[in-house]
Short mmCIF file of all heavy atoms in Angstrom, two decimals:
data_model
loop_
_atom_site.label_atom_id
_atom_site.label_comp_id
_atom_site.label_asym_id
_atom_site.label_seq_id
_atom_site.Cartn_x
_atom_site.Cartn_y
_atom_site.Cartn_z
N THR A 1 -1.62 -3.41 5.73
CA THR A 1 -1.58 -2.07 6.32
C THR A 1 -1.03 -0.99 5.39
O THR A 1 -1.67 0.04 5.20
CB THR A 1 -0.76 -2.10 7.62
OG1 THR A 1 -1.44 -2.93 8.56
CG2 THR A 1 -0.63 -0.71 8.21
N MET A 2 0.15 -1.18 4.83
CA MET A 2 0.74 -0.09 4.04
C MET A 2 -0.10 0.30 2.83
O MET A 2 -0.36 1.49 2.60
CB MET A 2 2.17 -0.46 3.63
CG MET A 2 2.96 0.74 3.10
SD MET A 2 2.69 1.06 1.36
CE MET A 2 3.72 -0.18 0.62
N PRO A 3 -0.60 -0.66 2.02
CA PRO A 3 -1.49 -0.27 0.93
C PRO A 3 -2.75 0.45 1.41
O PRO A 3 -3.26 1.35 0.74
CB PRO A 3 -1.83 -1.60 0.26
CG PRO A 3 -0.69 -2.49 0.58
CD PRO A 3 -0.25 -2.09 1.95
N ARG A 4 -3.25 0.06 2.58
CA ARG A 4 -4.45 0.72 3.11
C ARG A 4 -4.16 2.16 3.54
O ARG A 4 -4.98 3.05 3.36
CB ARG A 4 -5.01 -0.07 4.30
CG ARG A 4 -5.53 -1.46 4.01
CD ARG A 4 -6.69 -1.43 3.03
NE ARG A 4 -6.29 -1.58 1.65
CZ ARG A 4 -6.75 -0.87 0.64
NH1 ARG A 4 -7.66 0.05 0.83
NH2 ARG A 4 -6.33 -1.08 -0.58
N ILE A 5 -2.98 2.39 4.12
CA ILE A 5 -2.60 3.76 4.49
C ILE A 5 -2.47 4.61 3.24
O ILE A 5 -2.92 5.76 3.19
CB ILE A 5 -1.29 3.77 5.30
CG1 ILE A 5 -1.48 3.07 6.65
CG2 ILE A 5 -0.80 5.21 5.53
CD1 ILE A 5 -0.21 2.93 7.46
N LYS A 6 -1.89 4.03 2.19
CA LYS A 6 -1.77 4.76 0.92
C LYS A 6 -3.15 5.09 0.36
O LYS A 6 -3.37 6.19 -0.16
CB LYS A 6 -0.97 3.94 -0.08
CG LYS A 6 0.51 3.88 0.21
CD LYS A 6 1.28 3.09 -0.85
CE LYS A 6 1.25 3.78 -2.19
NZ LYS A 6 2.11 3.06 -3.18
N ALA A 7 -4.07 4.14 0.46
CA ALA A 7 -5.43 4.38 -0.05
C ALA A 7 -6.11 5.49 0.73
O ALA A 7 -6.79 6.35 0.16
CB ALA A 7 -6.25 3.09 0.04
N LEU A 8 -5.93 5.51 2.05
CA LEU A 8 -6.57 6.51 2.89
C LEU A 8 -5.99 7.90 2.69
O LEU A 8 -6.67 8.90 2.93
CB LEU A 8 -6.46 6.12 4.37
CG LEU A 8 -7.36 4.97 4.83
CD1 LEU A 8 -6.91 4.45 6.19
CD2 LEU A 8 -8.82 5.43 4.91
N THR A 9 -4.74 8.00 2.29
CA THR A 9 -4.10 9.31 2.16
C THR A 9 -4.02 9.82 0.73
O THR A 9 -3.97 11.03 0.52
CB THR A 9 -2.67 9.27 2.76
OG1 THR A 9 -1.93 8.21 2.14
CG2 THR A 9 -2.72 9.05 4.25
N THR A 10 -4.03 8.91 -0.25
CA THR A 10 -3.97 9.35 -1.65
C THR A 10 -5.32 9.26 -2.34
O THR A 10 -5.54 9.93 -3.35
CB THR A 10 -2.97 8.50 -2.47
OG1 THR A 10 -3.45 7.15 -2.53
CG2 THR A 10 -1.59 8.52 -1.83
N GLY A 11 -6.20 8.41 -1.83
CA GLY A 11 -7.49 8.22 -2.48
C GLY A 11 -7.42 7.26 -3.66
O GLY A 11 -8.42 7.00 -4.31
N SER A 12 -6.22 6.74 -3.95
CA SER A 12 -6.08 5.77 -5.04
C SER A 12 -6.18 4.36 -4.47
O SER A 12 -6.24 4.17 -3.26
CB SER A 12 -4.73 5.97 -5.76
OG SER A 12 -3.67 5.75 -4.86
N ILE A 13 -6.18 3.37 -5.37
CA ILE A 13 -6.31 1.98 -4.94
C ILE A 13 -5.01 1.26 -5.24
O ILE A 13 -4.73 0.92 -6.39
CB ILE A 13 -7.48 1.29 -5.67
CG1 ILE A 13 -8.79 2.03 -5.38
CG2 ILE A 13 -7.60 -0.17 -5.24
CD1 ILE A 13 -9.99 1.49 -6.13
N PRO A 14 -4.16 1.03 -4.23
CA PRO A 14 -2.88 0.35 -4.45
C PRO A 14 -3.10 -1.07 -4.93
O PRO A 14 -4.13 -1.69 -4.67
CB PRO A 14 -2.22 0.37 -3.07
CG PRO A 14 -2.92 1.47 -2.33
CD PRO A 14 -4.33 1.46 -2.84
N GLY A 15 -2.09 -1.61 -5.63
CA GLY A 15 -2.18 -2.96 -6.15
C GLY A 15 -1.40 -3.94 -5.29
O GLY A 15 -0.86 -3.60 -4.24
N PHE A 16 -1.30 -5.19 -5.77
CA PHE A 16 -0.65 -6.24 -5.01
C PHE A 16 0.87 -6.05 -4.94
O PHE A 16 1.52 -6.62 -4.08
CB PHE A 16 -0.97 -7.60 -5.63
CG PHE A 16 -2.37 -8.05 -5.35
CD1 PHE A 16 -3.41 -7.72 -6.20
CD2 PHE A 16 -2.66 -8.79 -4.22
CE1 PHE A 16 -4.71 -8.12 -5.93
CE2 PHE A 16 -3.95 -9.19 -3.94
CZ PHE A 16 -4.98 -8.85 -4.80
N ILE A 17 1.45 -5.24 -5.84
CA ILE A 17 2.87 -4.97 -5.75
C ILE A 17 3.20 -4.26 -4.45
O ILE A 17 4.32 -4.35 -3.93
CB ILE A 17 3.32 -4.12 -6.97
CG1 ILE A 17 4.85 -4.04 -7.04
CG2 ILE A 17 2.72 -2.73 -6.92
CD1 ILE A 17 5.53 -5.35 -7.30
N ASP A 18 2.22 -3.56 -3.89
CA ASP A 18 2.44 -2.85 -2.63
C ASP A 18 2.59 -3.79 -1.46
O ASP A 18 3.08 -3.40 -0.40
CB ASP A 18 1.29 -1.87 -2.37
CG ASP A 18 1.31 -0.71 -3.33
OD1 ASP A 18 2.12 0.20 -3.14
OD2 ASP A 18 0.52 -0.72 -4.29
N VAL A 19 2.16 -5.05 -1.61
CA VAL A 19 2.35 -6.03 -0.54
C VAL A 19 3.84 -6.26 -0.32
O VAL A 19 4.31 -6.36 0.81
CB VAL A 19 1.65 -7.36 -0.89
CG1 VAL A 19 1.95 -8.41 0.16
CG2 VAL A 19 0.15 -7.13 -1.01
N VAL A 20 4.60 -6.35 -1.41
CA VAL A 20 6.04 -6.53 -1.30
C VAL A 20 6.67 -5.30 -0.65
O VAL A 20 7.54 -5.41 0.22
CB VAL A 20 6.65 -6.79 -2.69
CG1 VAL A 20 8.16 -6.96 -2.59
CG2 VAL A 20 6.02 -8.01 -3.33
N MET A 21 6.21 -4.12 -1.07
CA MET A 21 6.75 -2.88 -0.52
C MET A 21 6.37 -2.69 0.93
O MET A 21 6.98 -1.88 1.64
CB MET A 21 6.24 -1.70 -1.36
CG MET A 21 6.70 -1.73 -2.81
SD MET A 21 5.92 -0.45 -3.81
CE MET A 21 6.54 1.02 -3.01
N ASN A 22 5.38 -3.42 1.41
CA ASN A 22 4.94 -3.31 2.79
C ASN A 22 6.06 -3.65 3.78
O ASN A 22 6.09 -3.17 4.90
CB ASN A 22 3.75 -4.24 3.04
CG ASN A 22 3.12 -4.04 4.40
OD1 ASN A 22 2.64 -2.96 4.71
ND2 ASN A 22 3.10 -5.08 5.21
N LEU A 23 7.02 -4.47 3.34
CA LEU A 23 8.10 -4.88 4.22
C LEU A 23 9.13 -3.78 4.42
O LEU A 23 9.84 -3.76 5.42
CB LEU A 23 8.78 -6.13 3.64
CG LEU A 23 7.88 -7.36 3.48
CD1 LEU A 23 8.64 -8.48 2.81
CD2 LEU A 23 7.34 -7.81 4.83
N ASN A 24 9.21 -2.86 3.48
CA ASN A 24 10.17 -1.76 3.62
C ASN A 24 9.57 -0.53 2.95
O ASN A 24 9.93 -0.18 1.84
CB ASN A 24 11.51 -2.14 2.98
CG ASN A 24 12.56 -1.06 3.19
OD1 ASN A 24 12.48 -0.29 4.15
ND2 ASN A 24 13.52 -0.98 2.28
N SER A 25 8.62 0.10 3.63
CA SER A 25 7.83 1.17 3.02
C SER A 25 8.69 2.38 2.71
O SER A 25 9.21 3.01 3.62
CB SER A 25 6.70 1.56 3.98
OG SER A 25 6.00 0.43 4.41
#
């Protein structure tokens, strides 16, 4: 979810490091 929200709002493609950040956005 969190990487997808970032993709929808920034237009960039988040990486797998964002999976870890998903726990505490």
